[in-house]
Amino acid sequence: MAQQPQLHFPILIFTSIFVISFSSFIRPPHPFDPLTESEFKLIRNIIKKKYPVGPTHRFTFQYVGLNEPDKSGVLSWHLSLHHNVTPPPRQAFVIARENRKTREIVVDFSSRAIVSDIIRVGHGNPMLTIDEQEVATELVLKFKPFRQSIRRRGLEVSEVVVTSSTMGWFGEKDTDRLIKTIPFYLNGSVNTYLRPIEGMTIIVNLEKMKVTTFKDRFMGPLPKANGTEYRFSKLKPPFGPTLKNSIFLQPNGPGFKIDGHVVRWANWEFHISFDVRAGLIISLASIFDIDMNKYRQVLYKGHLSEMYVPYMDPSEDWYFITYLDCGEFGCGQSAVSLEPYTDCPAGAVFFDGIFAGQDGTPTTISKAMCIFEKNAGDIMWRHTEAEVPGLEITEVRPDVSLVARMVTTVGNYDYIVDYEFKPSGAIKMEVGLTGVLEVKPVEYVHTSEIKEDDIHGTIVADNTVGVNHDHFVTYRLDLDIDGTENSFVRTELVTKRTPKSVKTPRKSYWTTNRKTVKTEAEARVKLGLRAEELMVVNPNRLTKHGNEVGYRLFPGPVSGTLMAHDDYPQIRGAFTNYNVWITLYNKSEVWASGLYADRSQGDDTLAVWSQRNREIEKKDIVMWYTVGFHHVPCQEDFPTMPTLSSGFELRPANFFEQNPVLKTKPIKLSSAPKCTPKNGY
C-alpha cells in the first residue's frame, strides 16, 4: 500500500543558518542520472583509443551527454514495482570535431565500446567549448595589429579584456567555425561589459585557431569607469535599503528527501539531472493522489531548450549579436556555483554539475543546482464563512512549495531558472533576468544631444546606451498526463447574446467552444489574440463526473517576436514565431534551434518539425512554451539590473476529483515560537 506523503511547514524564526551540500551521491540505477566523473573518464579513454591526438590529428569533445534512452523502456522500468525491470542500456552521446569534420559517437557503458560513429553532414556547427573561446581571445590579445590599435586609442593593452561572440548566419554559403571577438576596457572598473571598445572587426577561425580578419574601422568614445562598481566592499555610503535577516528553521529537518537524484517532497516525486547544454533537467515528475492512493504521471521530462537573444541595432558593430545561448554557449556549461544563503536559502541541498571539457576531461561546477522549500507568506487556500447564524468559520492553509534552481551566466546576463512544485499539483516555471546590460558607446550624455533618428536604445549613463533587445526562453515539456496517450485542447471563450427566450435583463454572456486539436499545425498558438484556455488532457482517463483529466497552461505576460520572418536571425529563431507549439514526441527533437545551432540556417528547428503536420490526437505529445521579454533598457538597469522575472504555470484541471490540498493539516500554533511585535509591526 502506498504511503501518503506529508507536508511539513517551515517555521519562521531568527536563528542560525545551516546548509546541506551534496557534491556526490551513491547513485541508484536510474536511467536519467547524469553522467558521473568516472563515466566521463571512461568515455574519454574509449574514444581516445580510436582517435589518438597528435600533431596532425586534432580531436575535440564539443558535447558529451546522456544518450536519450528509449522512452518505453524508461517507463516500463519506472512504473514497475520496486524497479524490478531491467533499465534501458546506459549510453553517452558525443559530438566531436576531428580534423574539420563533425562526428556523432555513441558509447555504451555495459560493453565499454563505441556502438555508433558517423560523420555528420548538414548546416550548423556544434556548441562552443570554454577552452576554444579562451584560446581565441588570448590570440587576439597577442595579435600585433590589435595591440597597435589599442595603443593608438591611448589605452593600455594590459587593461583590455576580450570576449567571444558568435557570428550568426546572414545568408553565407560558407559557414566555417568562426567567432567574432569584442574588446572591453577595465582601467578602474571590473564591470567588463560596460566599457566596450568599438570600431574593430576581429574574427578568429576556430579550426585554424588564428585571427583571419582584422579591421580597425574607426575610433569612438569610451564610456567612463565611474559609476560602474557593483561590489559591496567597494561601494561608498549612503547605503540602503536595510533588510533584516530572516530564515526558516525546520526542527525536524527539511520536508524533502533525496535518494540519489530522486527528490520526494509532500505529494511530489521527481528526478533532477544536469546537462551541459540544457542545464537543470526535471524528469518523471509524478504527484500522489490520496483518493487513488498512488502516484500519477504528469511530466516525463522538462528543461530549457533554447534562449534566443537578438539585439535591435543593425549597425556594423551590432547586427550579428543574435545569440542562441543554450545551443551556442551551453546553458549548463555556463552555469555558476550557487551561493549558500543568498542564491539559495538556508536548508537548501546542492547538487554539482559535471561536464566534459574540450579534451574530454570532466569539469565540475560545484553547487550548480539546489533544492529548497519556499514559504513566501502565500496562502494555499482559505475561506471565512459568516453567513451561518451564530457561527463564524475561518479556515486557512499557508502555501509552501519546493523549488529546483539553477543560475546560468551567459556573458553579461545571469538567468535564474526555477522549477516550483506546489502541493496543489501545479508546476511553475520561472526565469529571472539580472546581471549587466550590453551597451554601446556614444558621444552623448543627455537626450537633448541626440542627432540620429534612432540610437537603438536608452542613454543609461554618460556616453552609454543600453541597446534594445529581446529574450526568448523556450522550454521543452514532455507532458504525460496520467499516461502517454494525450491530446491538446483549445477552449475558446465566446461572447453570446442572451436568447429572447430568457426573460431577464441580461443582454450577453460568454460560453466555451471546446476543440480537440488534430494536427501540429492547428496546435501553434499566438497567445493574446483571443480568449482561450489551453489544456493537455488524457482522453482515456475520466473523472467520476465524465471530465477528461488534464493540466491547464496558465501563461505569464506575453511577448512575441517583432522581427521580420525573412530576417536571417529570425529564420534561425523561427521557434519564437508562436508562443506555444505542440509536436508529436520524437526523442531526436530536443533543441528548438536544432542540434547544431552555431551558424545554423534554420533548417532543423522546431518550426521545421512542426511543418510535418503530424497527427497529435491521442498521441504522445510535447509542449513547447516560450517566455518572452522585450527589453527597452532604463537607468535603473545600470550598473547592474534588478531581477526581472516571468514564466508560466501548469495546473491540474479535472485531474483530481476535488481540491487535492483540502485535507492539508493546519499548522499547530503551539509548536510555533512566539514573537512579540515591536513598534506596531
Side-chain angles (χ1 to χ4, degrees), residues 8-265:
H8 300 274
F9 291 97
I11 301 171
L12 178 63
I13 67 170
F14 300 94
T15 185
S16 59
I17 297 174
F18 67 92
V19 175
I20 304 172
S21 177
F22 282 41
S23 60
S24 61
F25 299 87
I26 299 174
R27 190 176 54 78
H30 195 291
F32 284 145
D33 276 356
L35 297 175
T36 65
E37 184 175 330
S38 59
E39 286 176 327
F40 278 111
K41 290 178 179 178
L42 178 60
I43 294 164
R44 181 179 185 272
N45 291 338
I46 291 171
I47 293 179
K48 287 284 186 178
K49 286 181 181 178
K50 184 174 181 179
Y51 298 107
V53 177
T56 60
H57 190 266
R58 189 165 184 264
F59 190 96
T60 58
F61 294 81
Q62 306 295 137
Y63 171 89
V64 182
L66 189 67
N67 194 38
E68 184 71 16
D70 180 70
K71 184 173 181 178
S72 61
V74 173
L75 290 175
S76 176
W77 173 86
H78 179 64
L79 299 175
S80 64
L81 186 63
H82 306 303
H83 301 321
N84 56 6
V85 172
T86 303
R90 186 164 173 82
Q91 299 177 332
F93 177 65
V94 178
I95 298 176
R97 290 288 288 177
E98 185 214 8
N99 290 349
R100 300 175 63 87
K101 299 188 297 290
T102 296
R103 287 192 174 274
E104 296 178 354
I105 301 171
V106 176
V107 174
D108 182 78
F109 289 109
S110 61
S111 63
R112 298 190 168 216
I114 294 173
V115 294
S116 176
D117 185 355
I118 62 172
I119 295 176
R120 191 258 176 179
V121 178
H123 298 133
N125 298 315
M127 195 178 77
L128 303 176
T129 68
I130 292 174
D131 302 294
E132 62 190 350
Q133 293 177 73
E134 290 178 346
V135 172
T137 55
E138 289 170 6
L139 279 174
V140 173
L141 285 169
K142 296 175 182 177
F143 189 60
K144 186 175 179 180
F146 172 76
R147 297 171 70 88
Q148 291 172 342
S149 291
I150 293 296
R151 294 191 187 100
R152 193 159 47 246
R153 287 166 166 78
L155 307 178
E156 296 292 332
V157 176
S158 61
E159 293 294 320
V160 175
V161 172
V162 176
T163 66
S164 56
S165 172
T166 47
M167 296 274 294
W169 172 72
F170 295 89
E172 310 95 337
K173 291 182 180 180
D174 183 6
T175 53
D176 285 344
R177 297 189 68 237
L178 308 175
I179 60 170
K180 286 191 175 182
T181 58
I182 303 173
F184 297 86
Y185 199 56
L186 299 179
N187 197 31
S189 174
V190 295
N191 207 335
T192 305
Y193 290 92
L194 294 185
R195 304 197 73 198
I197 305 169
E198 290 205 335
M200 288 181 272
T201 299
I202 315 160
I203 298 175
V204 176
N205 186 308
L206 295 177
E207 299 295 339
K208 299 176 181 178
M209 207 45 89
K210 63 181 291 187
V211 178
T212 53
T213 300
F214 180 81
K215 297 177 183 177
D216 190 349
R217 305 187 325 274
F218 67 89
M219 288 190 288
L222 183 68
K224 297 180 176 64
N226 295 341
T228 63
E229 185 60 71
Y230 61 91
R231 294 169 294 177
F232 185 78
S233 61
K234 303 293 183 181
L235 296 174
K236 297 178 180 180
F239 298 110
T242 300
L243 304 176
K244 298 291 185 180
N245 291 328
S246 63
I247 59 96
F248 298 115
L249 174 68
Q250 294 170 285
N252 299 319
F256 57 89
K257 295 181 179 180
I258 296 175
D259 180 10
H261 286 265
V262 175
V263 180
R264 296 181 179 91
W265 172 81

Side-chain angles (χ1 to χ4, degrees), residues 383-395:
H383 181 59
T384 295
E385 180 60 73
E387 302 301 323
V388 180
L391 185 64
E392 182 171 319
I393 304 169
T394 296
E395 289 282 333

Side-chain angles (χ1 to χ4, degrees), residues 284-317:
L284 298 173
S286 301
I287 189 164
F288 189 83
D289 187 326
I290 59 174
D291 293 322
M292 293 186 176
N293 196 36
K294 69 174 185 177
Y295 280 95
R296 299 169 64 189
Q297 296 170 262
V298 177
L299 178 67
Y300 180 75
K301 184 176 280 191
H303 58 82
L304 290 181
S305 181
E306 191 53 270
M307 295 198 300
Y308 171 43
V309 189
Y311 280 75
M312 298 299 138
D313 186 338
S315 65
E316 181 69 22
D317 283 295

Side-chain angles (χ1 to χ4, degrees), residues 4 267 290-291 380-383 395-397 423-424 656-666:
Q4 181 175 335
N267 47 357
I290 59 174
D291 293 322
M380 181 188 291
W381 68 265
R382 79 172 321 281
H383 181 59
E395 289 282 333
V396 186
R397 303 292 184 273
S424 62
F656 298 102
E657 293 292 346
Q658 62 173 0
N659 179 359
V661 289
L662 176 69
K663 297 180 181 180
T664 299
K665 294 180 180 179

Side-chain angles (χ1 to χ4, degrees), residues 603-653:
D603 54 358
D604 182 31
T605 68
L606 170 59
V608 173
W609 309 332
S610 176
Q611 289 175 4
R612 297 169 187 162
N613 205 21
R614 296 162 289 194
E615 293 184 1
I616 57 172
E617 185 179 10
K618 293 186 178 181
K619 303 286 187 181
D620 190 357
I621 57 178
V622 176
M623 174 182 286
W624 309 75
Y625 185 95
T626 295
V627 178
F629 303 82
H630 296 306
H631 191 177
V632 179
C634 57
Q635 288 182 232
E636 288 81 358
D637 297 333
F638 186 94
T640 60
M641 175 182 164
T643 301
L644 174 65
S645 299
S646 187
F648 61 101
E649 190 168 323
L650 296 168
R651 268 176 93 100

Side-chain angles (χ1 to χ4, degrees), residues 3-7 255-257 262-271 282-289 294-300 399-403 419-429 479-481 551 650-652 655-656 660-661:
Q3 183 178 2
Q4 181 175 335
Q6 298 294 316
L7 177 60
F256 57 89
K257 295 181 179 180
V262 175
V263 180
R264 296 181 179 91
W265 172 81
N267 47 357
W268 279 104
E269 176 183 287
F270 61 88
H271 183 275
I282 300 294
S283 303
L284 298 173
S286 301
I287 189 164
F288 189 83
D289 187 326
K294 69 174 185 177
Y295 280 95
R296 299 169 64 189
Q297 296 170 262
V298 177
L299 178 67
Y300 180 75
D399 203 10
V400 182
S401 57
L402 187 74
V403 177
Y419 297 83
E420 184 174 353
F421 294 84
K422 295 178 176 289
S424 62
I427 310 174
K428 185 178 181 182
M429 285 77 166
L479 294 167
D480 284 354
I481 306 302
Y551 260 69
L650 296 168
R651 268 176 93 100
F655 188 83
F656 298 102
V661 289

Side-chain angles (χ1 to χ4, degrees), residues 316-332:
E316 181 69 22
D317 283 295
W318 284 84
Y319 77 92
F320 58 91
I321 302 181
T322 54
Y323 302 126
L324 296 168
D325 282 340
C326 292
E328 293 173 338
F329 300 103
C331 289

